[in-house]
Amino acid sequence: MITPFYAALLALLAFLFVFLSGRVIKLRLKYQVGIGDGEHPLLARAIRVQGNFGEYVPFALLLVWMYETMNGAPLLVHILGVALCVGRILHAYGVSQKNETLLFRQCGMVTTFAVMVISALSILLKYLS
């Protein structure tokens, strides 16, 4: 099994998730905001970076794992796993910047979407063959 390796890496990146969560908590304490973002741009960004990670990583990992369990090509599983890790790092870095240039955010999302689409298409091709 290959996907658990990338799940573990993403869990360490979930250290990134834990870090992102800690940053949200720190900013909430700093700005005294319990719910929402209190119209503080840095807190709003921190909330979205954390939320985006939690929204996309589980589904993308699940698709990669499904493909792998269908005897998918190990090389493709590795490529998808690495791409997902890189995409999430790029996205988190991009959105976290106060003066964001969209390049990192866009590359991160495109990479994440590519992992999801390629995984889904690969599952369908395996299923139909």
Side-chain angles (χ1 to χ4, degrees), residues 2 29 39 45 49 57 60 69-71 77 86-87 89 92-93 99 112 128:
I2 298 167
L29 291 171
E39 298 185 24
R45 284 184 172 282
V49 169
V57 168
T69 61
M70 296 175 80
N71 294 317
V77 174
V86 169
I89 290 169
Y93 176 77
N99 297 318
T112 301
L128 295 173

Side-chain angles (χ1 to χ4, degrees), residues 2 4 14 18 45 47 49 54 74 76-77 81 87 92 96 98 112 114 121 127:
I2 298 167
V18 170
R45 284 184 172 282
I47 290 168
V49 169
L76 182 55
V77 174
S96 296
K98 185 176 181 179
T112 301
L121 291 174
Y127 186 78

Side-chain angles (χ1 to χ4, degrees), residues 4-22:
F5 172 76
Y6 291 102
L9 280 181
L10 286 158
L12 291 177
L13 285 179
F15 169 71
L16 170 65
F17 187 67
V18 170
F19 169 78
L20 296 172
S21 300

Side-chain angles (χ1 to χ4, degrees), residues 66-73 119-129:
M66 284 188 230
Y67 172 70
E68 180 182 6
T69 61
M70 296 175 80
N71 294 317
S119 296
L121 291 174
S122 298
I123 290 167
L124 290 172
L125 289 172
K126 279 250 177 236
Y127 186 78
L128 295 173
S129 64

